[in-house]
Amino acid sequence: MLNLFNANNTNQPQLREFDPLTVQRIKEGAYLVKMISETQVAARKCDFYAGNTVDPEIKNAFENEAKLLKQSARLLQQYYESITLE
């Protein structure tokens, strides 16, 4: 049975194992993409809640939080772009 699998795999391309730095960057990139999307969703929710509230104090709090979240998402996006360019 082993000979059958060896014969079958002789024409298959061999996969190369990534070095630890590349593996770390791949994982970090995937985590950053998830963080960016979650931050953008939270910012949109804050904008939505700010538009639905009547109290100006609460509206300002949601708008300020949305602004901070958008800035954070922008910074995370810039960092992601910087690590993918290398």
Side-chain angles (χ1 to χ4, degrees):
M1 191 66 143
L2 184 61
N3 291 337
L4 177 66
F5 287 121
N6 286 339
N8 192 22
N9 290 331
T10 55
N11 295 329
Q12 297 293 326
Q14 299 295 316
L15 292 177
R16 185 176 66 121
E17 193 172 309
F18 290 120
D19 60 312
L21 182 64
T22 305
V23 171
Q24 177 189 356
R25 284 188 182 216
I26 291 170
K27 288 180 182 179
E28 186 176 330
Y31 181 70
L32 277 171
V33 168
K34 183 174 176 81
M35 287 290 295
I36 291 166
S37 67
E38 292 293 328
T39 305
Q40 290 171 342
V41 167
R44 286 195 302 269
K45 284 183 178 181
C46 285
D47 282 335
F48 174 76
Y49 293 138
N52 285 340
T53 188
V54 178
D55 188 5
E57 186 177 337
I58 295 174
K59 182 177 183 172
N60 287 337
F62 276 122
E63 288 174 346
N64 290 338
E65 189 67 26
K67 182 180 173 184
L68 290 173
L69 287 167
K70 288 175 187 175
Q71 289 174 350
S72 299
R74 197 173 306 116
L75 287 173
L76 288 170
Q77 182 69 33
Q78 290 172 352
Y79 179 63
Y80 177 75
E81 290 171 2
S82 73
I83 67 167
T84 55
L85 288 177
E86 296 174 359

